[in-house]
Amino acid sequence: MKAIHGAEVARRDVLKAAGLFAMSTAVGLEGGHAEAQQGVVPFSSGTEPPKTSVPEGACDSHIHIFSRQFPASSHWKGEPVIDSDVPAYRSFQKRIGTSRVVVVTPSTYGVDNRATLDGVAQFGNSARAVVVVDLDISDAELTQMAAKGAVGIRVNFVTSQSWGVTTAERLETMARKVHPLGWHVQVYMTGDQIADLESILSRLPTPVVIDHIARLPPAQGVNHRAYKAVRKLLDGGRTWMKLSGAYLNTASGPPNYADATEVAKAFAKAAPERMVWGSDWPHRGEKHMPDDAGLFDLLAQWTPDETARKKILVDNPRQLYGFL
């Protein structure tokens, strides 16, 4: 009972940090999620909708689902599991106007994909999963996850993983393992890691999806050595990028995130046909929750052309994630 109470206190702390003092009902000790007042989205600041038009079928290609039904992996020493579940995210969709979603298993859960796949099951055909698996995953288990909406794996070089240090050898092994399923490999890497492993990324048998605008150091941006490496990968025609996480790639900060915007604009101009957009909701680890409408409106700066934005929000995710 003490552990449950601790999770409740942590949840309230996060909601306070997010400025969500108007939450009408605290999470009960037996589970459930808080119902937000009209216009308020959990783990998000602001209440207004985006100023930019949102096309029908728009996809948020990067979120995480957390539920206290599924405890954190034993390796995880960071922020505890806090309910940021499907009903809470639906309030995000209602505010922003997106209708499709890609749920990515976070480092918190290690190789336990139950929260992700349970979330996809609740969303139905409008959702897909990107899962995290270990080297000993069987072909049968991968096939079962494919039947539940999984279309790719994430290989994370940045944050703590249940297997320890992520190596280039692991990346190549996992890409070969999921290639027969037609899956892609999503990599979360710093700019320096991308530059160091460019040759390996270029020879993977699967499509590659780069997380969070490639995490180029804000002080260097497009002048960092990884920019040329990523451009070469994009020019190769089999690499995609997530235009997400502006607040992870900035020193200048909101609302315009000028340094991240410069990088995102350059990549989006280089390969608009292989860009997808993601919110990164529920913004784990952020002390001050971003305004998700503002984050969405950044896309209009990154890609001023409305036809190109429709590609990024609708056509590209349909192709990459297999939406009908």
Side-chain angles (χ1 to χ4, degrees):
M1 197 68 173
K2 290 181 179 178
I4 296 176
H5 179 69
E8 173 65 11
V9 171
R11 175 171 173 76
R12 288 172 180 167
D13 287 344
V14 170
L15 295 180
K16 287 178 182 179
L20 300 179
F21 296 103
M23 297 296 288
S24 60
T25 307
V27 176
L29 292 179
E30 299 304 319
H33 78 285
E35 295 295 335
Q37 290 183 354
Q38 186 175 3
V40 176
V41 176
F43 310 102
S44 178
S45 65
T47 59
E48 296 298 316
K51 297 179 176 65
T52 312
S53 62
V54 184
E56 183 178 354
C59 181
D60 182 350
S61 296
H62 193 104
I63 76 158
H64 306 292
I65 291 293
F66 294 88
S67 170
R68 286 182 296 143
Q69 296 179 65
F70 307 108
S73 167
S74 60
H75 86 283
W76 184 251
K77 307 304 179 187
E79 186 178 349
V81 171
I82 300 166
D83 284 336
S84 42
D85 52 16
V86 170
Y89 182 72
R90 282 181 171 142
S91 66
F92 171 102
Q93 289 181 309
K94 183 176 180 180
R95 176 188 173 197
I96 303 302
T98 54
S99 55
R100 291 171 174 158
V101 64
V102 178
V103 185
V104 180
T105 298
S107 299
T108 308
Y109 282 129
V111 294
D112 181 355
N113 294 287
R114 289 178 297 167
T116 293
L117 295 173
D118 179 71
V120 169
Q122 292 182 59
F123 284 123
N125 290 333
S126 65
R128 298 290 185 269
V130 174
V131 296
V132 178
V133 297
D134 213 337
L135 292 169
D136 60 358
I137 189 78
S138 69
D139 291 343
E141 289 174 296
L142 289 172
T143 300
Q144 289 171 2
M145 285 193 281
K148 295 178 180 179
V151 294
I153 58 169
R154 191 189 202 198
V155 181
N156 187 330
F157 287 77
V158 177
T159 55
S160 176
Q161 299 298 295
S162 58
W163 54 71
V165 177
T166 301
T167 63
E169 291 75 18
R170 172 181 284 271
L171 173 62
E172 290 193 278
T173 298
M174 295 312 304
R176 289 193 297 269
K177 186 179 280 284
V178 303
H179 176 56
L181 291 166
W183 287 10
H184 66 267
V185 173
Q186 177 178 320
V187 292
Y188 186 29
M189 309 170 82
T190 65
D192 283 318
Q193 290 169 330
I194 293 170
D196 290 343
L197 298 180
E198 176 198 337
S199 62
I200 291 174
L201 291 167
S202 68
R203 70 177 184 236
L204 294 180
T206 62
V208 173
V209 180
I210 298 175
D211 262 356
H212 300 324
I213 334 176
R215 294 306 308 269
L216 304 186
Q220 296 173 268
V222 296
N223 296 314
H224 187 268
R225 65 191 182 102
Y227 177 73
K228 290 183 179 179
V230 175
R231 281 296 309 269
K232 187 175 179 181
L233 289 166
L234 290 172
D235 292 346
R238 297 175 59 253
T239 296
W240 300 66
M241 176 167 288
K242 289 194 174 183
L243 297 174
S244 59
Y247 51 83
L248 301 173
N249 298 276
T250 187
S252 58
N256 293 322
Y257 301 94
D259 38 15
T261 289
E262 180 186 13
V263 172
K265 286 176 70 173
F267 286 140
K269 183 178 180 180
E273 73 281 6
R274 273 174 283 106
M275 298 285 130
V276 294
W277 173 84
S279 68
D280 197 30
W281 186 92
H283 313 297
R284 292 274 284 184
E286 293 301 301
K287 293 181 179 179
H288 304 286
M289 292 294 158
D291 180 343
D292 282 295
L295 290 179
F296 183 86
D297 285 332
L298 284 176
L299 186 58
Q301 296 183 44
W302 299 350
T303 309
D305 181 72
E306 187 173 359
T307 300
R309 286 202 305 277
K310 181 177 180 293
K311 275 183 172 292
I312 291 168
L313 290 168
V314 182
D315 302 332
N316 296 350
R318 182 187 293 128
Q319 179 184 348
L320 178 60
Y321 300 111
F323 288 110
L324 301 177

